[in-house]
Amino acid sequence: MNLRHMEERDRAKVLEMMRVFYSSGAVMTNGSEEIFNSDISECVSDSPFAEGFVFTDTYRGSLLGYAMLAHSFSTEYGIHCVWIEDIYLKEEARGKGLASEFFDHVRSAYPEALHRLEAEHENLHAVEVYKSQGFEEMPYTELYRKPL
């Protein structure tokens, strides 16, 4: 199995996986085709704000999952912040260490950055995986406001 940057040719397969991911209990919002396409477009462009990755089967070349990062600056910590926005693995790719490999990649690529992610409290397995990777729960509620 291999991790590589997302490319335009991955769009259709990543869209399929996003539809599954965003309709699961792992995510609070359902997203939309417009949002999914916008996310992929940002990830495959030269944007300084987003990066996309795909997990591939080395032998067959098929996509086994995807991940997306968002870059920002944390005034709370005074450093570059890398948000792990999405990490999704197809059922057959789970439990094989791919998520750990991805977290190692993020740590290696951005060793001086704060790494953040969100998880649904009900997604106990994911929370335990994240904690095993050194993530800690934040002691506050995050709020948001949509643009006009």
Side-chain angles (χ1 to χ4, degrees):
M1 294 183 216
N2 191 30
L3 177 69
R4 65 169 171 78
H5 276 96
M6 188 182 296
E7 300 172 1
E8 183 61 42
R9 67 186 168 114
D10 302 318
R11 183 179 294 270
K13 294 294 184 187
V14 172
L15 278 169
E16 288 175 20
M17 290 184 283
M18 290 180 84
R19 289 180 196 114
V20 172
F21 181 51
Y22 277 82
S23 65
S24 75
V27 185
M28 284 183 68
T29 61
N30 291 337
S32 69
E33 291 297 308
E34 180 181 355
I35 291 170
F36 300 158
N37 276 295
S38 178
D39 291 348
I40 294 169
S41 292
E42 195 74 14
C43 284
V44 301
S45 74
D46 291 333
S47 171
F49 302 113
E51 264 184 290
F53 298 87
V54 291
F55 302 91
T56 64
D57 182 317
T58 308
Y59 302 108
R60 295 181 293 178
S62 59
L63 298 189
L64 301 171
Y66 78 96
M68 293 181 178
L69 302 179
H71 297 270
S72 65
F73 183 83
S74 172
T75 58
E76 185 177 359
Y77 291 92
I79 57 175
H80 173 204
C81 181
V82 176
W83 278 91
I84 300 165
E85 290 284 347
D86 289 16
I87 182 165
Y88 172 79
L89 294 168
K90 290 182 177 179
E91 195 72 40
E92 66 267 22
R94 296 177 189 165
K96 299 185 186 311
L98 290 176
S100 295
E101 184 180 317
F102 180 70
F103 290 126
D104 289 346
H105 168 77
V106 172
R107 183 172 292 229
S108 169
Y110 303 103
E112 303 297 322
L114 175 70
H115 304 156
R116 295 183 79 167
L117 54 74
E118 297 173 348
E120 298 301 314
H121 290 288
E122 297 80 18
N123 194 348
L124 298 175
H125 178 72
V127 171
E128 289 307 313
V129 168
Y130 303 150
K131 285 182 177 180
S132 77
Q133 292 295 314
F135 287 88
E136 300 175 30
E137 287 188 55
M138 300 296 286
Y140 55 80
T141 300
E142 183 172 341
L143 306 170
Y144 73 97
R145 178 172 62 186
K146 292 182 180 181
L148 296 175

mmCIF file of all heavy atoms in Angstrom, residues 17 23 37 43 58 80 121 143:
data_model
loop_
_atom_site.group_PDB
_atom_site.id
_atom_site.type_symbol
_atom_site.label_atom_id
_atom_site.label_comp_id
_atom_site.label_asym_id
_atom_site.label_seq_id
_atom_site.Cartn_x
_atom_site.Cartn_y
_atom_site.Cartn_z
ATOM 1 N N MET A 17 -15.838 8.007 -2.212
ATOM 2 C CA MET A 17 -15.468 7.773 -0.815
ATOM 3 C C MET A 17 -15.982 8.890 0.084
ATOM 4 O O MET A 17 -16.423 8.633 1.210
ATOM 5 C CB MET A 17 -13.951 7.614 -0.692
ATOM 6 C CG MET A 17 -13.447 6.328 -1.313
ATOM 7 S SD MET A 17 -11.669 6.060 -1.079
ATOM 8 C CE MET A 17 -10.995 7.185 -2.313
ATOM 9 N N SER A 23 -21.793 10.431 4.842
ATOM 10 C CA SER A 23 -23.107 9.899 5.205
ATOM 11 C C SER A 23 -22.998 8.923 6.372
ATOM 12 O O SER A 23 -23.992 8.372 6.811
ATOM 13 C CB SER A 23 -23.773 9.228 4.001
ATOM 14 O OG SER A 23 -23.039 8.087 3.600
ATOM 15 N N ASN A 37 -16.617 18.659 -4.372
ATOM 16 C CA ASN A 37 -15.842 19.062 -5.555
ATOM 17 C C ASN A 37 -14.922 20.236 -5.251
ATOM 18 O O ASN A 37 -13.783 20.288 -5.720
ATOM 19 C CB ASN A 37 -16.763 19.360 -6.733
ATOM 20 C CG ASN A 37 -17.124 18.106 -7.487
ATOM 21 O OD1 ASN A 37 -16.265 17.473 -8.089
ATOM 22 N ND2 ASN A 37 -18.394 17.734 -7.441
ATOM 23 N N CYS A 43 -7.526 20.736 -3.104
ATOM 24 C CA CYS A 43 -6.450 19.785 -2.802
ATOM 25 C C CYS A 43 -5.540 19.495 -3.992
ATOM 26 O O CYS A 43 -4.360 19.214 -3.808
ATOM 27 C CB CYS A 43 -7.035 18.470 -2.295
ATOM 28 S SG CYS A 43 -7.633 18.541 -0.594
ATOM 29 N N THR A 58 -0.694 -0.940 -3.908
ATOM 30 C CA THR A 58 0.528 -0.904 -4.716
ATOM 31 C C THR A 58 0.445 -1.802 -5.940
ATOM 32 O O THR A 58 0.925 -1.443 -7.009
ATOM 33 C CB THR A 58 1.741 -1.323 -3.858
ATOM 34 O OG1 THR A 58 1.751 -0.525 -2.675
ATOM 35 C CG2 THR A 58 3.045 -1.119 -4.598
ATOM 36 N N HIS A 80 2.218 27.383 13.128
ATOM 37 C CA HIS A 80 1.502 26.790 11.982
ATOM 38 C C HIS A 80 0.633 25.651 12.509
ATOM 39 O O HIS A 80 1.046 24.870 13.361
ATOM 40 C CB HIS A 80 2.556 26.277 10.991
ATOM 41 C CG HIS A 80 2.005 25.502 9.838
ATOM 42 N ND1 HIS A 80 2.776 24.594 9.166
ATOM 43 C CD2 HIS A 80 0.802 25.491 9.221
ATOM 44 C CE1 HIS A 80 2.069 24.058 8.187
ATOM 45 N NE2 HIS A 80 0.866 24.591 8.202
ATOM 46 N N HIS A 121 -17.740 12.129 19.310
ATOM 47 C CA HIS A 121 -17.556 11.406 20.571
ATOM 48 C C HIS A 121 -18.012 9.955 20.471
ATOM 49 O O HIS A 121 -17.433 9.069 21.091
ATOM 50 C CB HIS A 121 -18.300 12.104 21.710
ATOM 51 C CG HIS A 121 -17.696 13.411 22.100
ATOM 52 N ND1 HIS A 121 -16.509 13.519 22.775
ATOM 53 C CD2 HIS A 121 -18.117 14.680 21.876
ATOM 54 C CE1 HIS A 121 -16.213 14.782 22.965
ATOM 55 N NE2 HIS A 121 -17.178 15.518 22.422
ATOM 56 N N LEU A 143 -17.024 26.205 18.159
ATOM 57 C CA LEU A 143 -18.196 26.802 17.533
ATOM 58 C C LEU A 143 -17.817 27.263 16.134
ATOM 59 O O LEU A 143 -16.643 27.448 15.840
ATOM 60 C CB LEU A 143 -18.675 28.003 18.344
ATOM 61 C CG LEU A 143 -18.941 27.716 19.839
ATOM 62 C CD1 LEU A 143 -19.160 29.020 20.570
ATOM 63 C CD2 LEU A 143 -20.116 26.796 20.000
#
